[in-house]
Amino acid sequence: MRVFAHMDADPSRPAGVTRLDWHGPLDGDAFTHPALFYRDHTDYLAATVPFVRAGLDNGEPVAVAVPGPNLTALKDAVHDDGVLWLDMTEAGRNPGRIIPGVLRAFADQHPGRRARIIGEPIWAGRSDDEYPACAQHEALINAAFRGRDATILCPYDSSRLSETALADATATHPLLVEGDRWWTSPHYAPGQIVDTYNQPLPQPGEVATYPATWFTPHTLTDIRQWAVGHAARAGLSPDRQDDVAIVVSELATNCIDHGDTTGALAGWTTADSLVFQTSNHTPSGRLDPLAGRLPAPDHQRRGRGLLMVNELADLVRTHTDGTQVTFRVHFTLPEAQAR
């Protein structure tokens, strides 16, 4: 499926189509965030190689965070050790860590300079559980980088991704690129995508629930022990058991700090993951979509808990319905990693 017909063959091409010039911001804004639609490696390299080389010609810091096969192809084509190369299937396994741990981490290392990044967080093979978090991530990049001097190019494989993913890309990116042309997206509505994927999380059939419903600092030790016990029985390594303890403890602490201290904690396993979930009522019943997705200033001593949750978990999903906030975290089981 194609989001749009090939422009050179379509007399009804969108208004305002302009030839690419990767040496500057496409539309003159400080922050530029185009989606690139490609069909194969030829298409991919025809756009991404000039994008990288233009950044190097400009003296800009350049980072590439894309899935392994695309990373190898692009790295072989560019041949430049001055580029930061990252496998997005590892660095961005959890979409919630991409903004703080990849995009902002790189841009913030180069204050006063325009950062140029290729980020491909959505690839064929992303699970149904992962995709809503991916779409929200793409929408939230616009708020996280508003007014900053940066260009982030996001490739989309139009021959393998779903119609939904391709349509969502036109809502999460203000600019669209195909071949050697770009134009402004008529469907740009990132806030709508954030709201669309604020979905109730489907409940499993059998769960183990933590026996207490009142979280206090004095219950955190018991909560950690309860979570680690489930992690050990699920076969997670000692290191990952430690990560589980930190994540579940931070989620319980978040209930204490931002809710009414009552909460529900549950855990279960799926075919691929060990899953934990916290739910609690909050005074506002809302959650800032960027919570846990922005780097904390060096002087900030508190408020890093959700950053750690995103850093350590393999997937983080959230839902708020106006009365309570739910966090669900996934840890990949060893047998699933081996597949």
Side-chain angles (χ1 to χ4, degrees):
M1 181 267 180
R2 304 294 304 287
V3 178
F4 32 73
H6 191 281
M7 288 179 295
D8 286 336
D10 182 5
S12 62
R13 66 184 61 164
V17 171
T18 307
R19 288 194 177 277
L20 282 172
D21 179 5
W22 285 132
H23 284 83
L26 293 185
D27 59 354
D29 285 351
F31 177 54
T32 305
H33 185 209
L36 164 68
F37 297 96
Y38 69 94
R39 293 162 294 184
D40 51 35
H41 266 181
T42 300
D43 273 0
Y44 191 82
L45 295 177
T48 56
V49 171
F51 177 85
V52 171
R53 287 181 175 159
L56 296 172
D57 291 346
N58 290 349
E60 298 168 352
V62 179
V64 175
V66 300
N70 286 345
L71 185 72
T72 299
L74 186 49
K75 192 173 184 179
D76 289 346
V78 172
H79 293 297
D80 195 296
D81 293 334
V83 177
L84 175 64
W85 303 98
L86 298 172
D87 187 337
M88 187 64 99
T89 64
E90 298 174 4
R93 180 82 260 169
N94 171 24
R97 79 167 72 112
I98 298 174
I99 291 174
V102 178
L103 305 181
R104 282 286 301 270
F106 180 73
D108 291 352
Q109 289 174 1
H110 304 280
R113 302 175 65 192
R114 183 177 190 83
R116 181 176 293 238
I117 305 169
I118 301 178
E120 188 171 2
I122 300 176
W123 58 85
R126 279 287 203 184
S127 70
D128 290 342
D129 280 333
E130 292 172 325
Y131 179 74
C134 292
Q136 288 183 319
H137 154 74
E138 284 281 59
L140 291 169
I141 291 175
N142 302 286
F145 275 83
R146 184 176 293 118
R148 292 181 64 102
D149 210 17
T151 302
I152 300 176
L153 176 68
C154 300
Y156 282 77
D157 186 342
S158 59
S159 68
R160 300 178 65 198
L161 291 174
S162 69
E163 294 185 12
T164 296
L166 299 177
D168 286 347
T170 69
T172 55
H173 296 79
L175 307 174
L176 307 178
V177 174
E178 187 186 35
D180 64 350
R181 308 282 183 121
W182 72 269
W183 64 98
T184 300
S185 174
H187 305 297
Y188 181 59
Q192 180 177 315
I193 293 296
V194 173
D195 292 340
T196 295
Y197 290 105
N198 177 35
Q199 303 168 340
L201 303 172
Q203 297 298 315
E206 295 184 9
V207 301
T209 57
Y210 182 70
T213 59
W214 191 269
F215 298 160
T216 73
H218 302 292
T219 64
L220 292 180
T221 297
D222 288 342
I223 287 172
R224 284 192 289 267
Q225 292 174 347
W226 179 87
V228 167
H230 284 286
R233 288 188 289 276
L236 270 65
S237 69
D239 284 347
R240 287 305 269 164
Q241 291 175 35
D242 290 343
D243 292 341
V244 165
I246 293 170
V247 166
V248 174
S249 179
E250 289 298 336
L251 290 179
T253 300
N254 190 71
C255 292
I256 296 169
D257 289 346
H258 302 288
D260 59 7
T261 73
T262 61
L265 169 61
W268 63 90
T269 56
T270 68
D272 299 318
S273 300
L274 172 65
V275 184
F276 293 96
Q277 177 174 293
T278 60
S279 297
N280 77 299
H281 292 274
T282 65
S284 68
R286 297 182 180 181
L287 175 70
D288 180 355
L290 283 170
R293 294 176 186 260
L294 294 177
D298 291 340
H299 65 271
Q300 182 176 312
R301 303 184 63 181
R302 291 175 56 81
R304 299 173 184 265
L306 293 181
L307 275 170
M308 284 194 290
V309 169
N310 271 322
E311 176 62 28
L312 296 176
D314 293 315
L315 175 64
V316 178
R317 294 283 306 279
T318 63
H319 175 248
T320 177
D321 62 6
T323 60
Q324 68 176 14
V325 175
T326 298
F327 286 91
R328 181 175 293 183
V329 293
H330 296 237
F331 295 87
T332 305
L333 297 175
E335 56 267 30
Q337 289 180 325
R339 289 201 288 267

